[in-house]
Amino acid sequence: MRVHVLTLFPEMFGSPLAAGVLRRARELGTLEVWVHQLRDYAGGRHLQVDDTPYGGGQGMVMKPEPLVAAIEHVAAADAPRRILLSPQGIAFSHERARSLACERALLLICGRYEGLDERVKAHVDEELSIGDYVLSGGELAALVVLDAIARLLPGVLGNAASPADDSFATGLLEHPQYTRPEDFRGARVPDVLLSGEHAAIARWRRQQSLRLTLERRPDLLAHAPLDATDRAFLRKLGWRDGDGG
Ligand code: ADE
């Protein structure tokens, strides 16, 4: 997959792209990332990329010309899916990451300042938000989206690890994990995990996932694939079917 990023702060991408899963995906050749400086597309002597808002108000607004010139330049070469990161976007999710991981090329457009000229939005395919808070720009959001997608690309996590059990991949939060030592300052690994009984371990993990999801994210239960055993277990914990918690 090829990913283009459009930003006023290309330097924000250096370290994240040089470590961990993003580095591995790039080294494998599975992921190619091209970071473009938006200012290179600004005209005039001052290479201005922002201006005061029509109608008055605080802060600056990103001008449409450099953004659209940059989008068109990248799009002409690669026809990527164009994604604007913004707090007004649709909520980014694991499901969205999975479907974006099937694209051949993406363009992640990072806004700054108080926002960008509304007319830019006619030149993007979708607008994504990574959560209900306002960041000072789209760069960190673009990295979040990129990381979530990169780890789903074929071969990136290697054979041993699989994203299939991740929190959200199953529609539930992931069960707790333990490794050595068996006893850490008096806190013991649950006996069932030491038992070697695969069916009992699978049942325990499923129940832990259900319990945790009910406690922390009961809203997920409304859409999670639950069988009759899951439902019976949740009801014992006080969950009432159909009330979202
Ligand atoms: N830019 C600023 N805040 C953002 C958010 N929450 N998600 C995506 N892009 C953003």
Side-chain angles (χ1 to χ4, degrees):
M1 166 184 276
R2 254 190 319 280
V3 177
H4 298 271
V5 179
L6 196 50
T7 172
L8 286 168
F9 296 96
E11 63 274 23
M12 288 182 72
F13 292 82
S15 305
L17 288 173
V21 163
L22 288 174
R23 178 191 181 133
R24 183 176 159 78
R26 292 171 60 232
E27 283 176 353
L28 285 170
T30 310
L31 175 69
E32 239 178 69
V33 183
W34 298 88
V35 182
H36 306 266
Q37 169 57 270
L38 175 60
R39 211 173 287 281
D40 292 346
Y41 297 86
R45 218 154 43 87
H46 300 293
L47 304 182
Q48 192 182 351
V49 292
D50 60 334
D51 209 337
T52 53
Y54 275 119
Q58 294 287 308
M60 300 292 271
V61 174
M62 291 177 82
K63 291 165 64 61
E65 303 94 317
L67 275 163
V68 172
I71 292 169
E72 285 177 342
H73 178 85
V74 174
D78 218 359
R81 184 163 181 84
R82 307 159 183 202
I83 299 170
L84 173 65
L85 287 310
S86 113
Q88 285 96 31
I90 305 271
F92 182 58
S93 63
H94 196 74
E95 195 185 337
R96 197 74 205 101
R98 256 199 301 228
S99 105
L100 290 173
C102 301
E103 296 282 339
R104 204 183 42 78
L106 300 175
L107 168 56
L108 302 176
I109 303 156
C110 307
R112 275 273 149 179
Y113 307 114
E114 300 312 302
L116 44 77
D117 189 290
E118 188 65 18
R119 292 165 291 186
V120 172
K121 297 187 183 173
H123 298 265
V124 308
D125 297 308
E126 67 184 291
E127 201 172 336
L128 290 179
S129 164
I130 61 157
D132 293 340
Y133 37 79
V134 179
L135 302 165
S136 41
E139 285 77 9
L140 292 174
L143 283 164
V144 166
V145 168
L146 185 53
D147 186 279
I149 292 171
R151 61 196 298 290
L152 299 177
L153 297 175
V156 168
L157 291 188
N159 291 333
S162 152
D165 294 331
D166 284 349
S167 283
F168 304 112
T170 59
L172 300 172
L173 300 187
E174 197 189 7
H175 56 78
Q177 299 276 18
Y178 295 85
T179 185
R180 276 183 276 275
E182 245 179 77
D183 185 317
F184 175 66
R185 299 184 179 182
R188 291 190 46 79
V189 173
D191 286 338
V192 62
L193 298 181
L194 309 173
S195 70
E197 292 173 33
H198 298 299
I201 291 171
R203 186 167 57 247
W204 180 86
R205 287 182 165 163
R206 182 74 184 172
Q207 291 183 347
Q208 292 294 318
S209 269
L210 291 164
R211 185 193 303 278
L212 207 59
T213 307
L214 178 61
E215 269 172 32
R216 298 186 182 172
R217 293 293 307 278
D219 55 299
L220 295 177
L221 294 174
H223 304 288
L226 301 174
D227 64 17
T229 314
D230 295 334
R231 289 173 186 281
F233 178 75
L234 285 166
R235 275 191 222 105
K236 273 200 292 187
L237 298 177
W239 178 66
R240 282 183 299 129
D241 218 340
D243 70 0

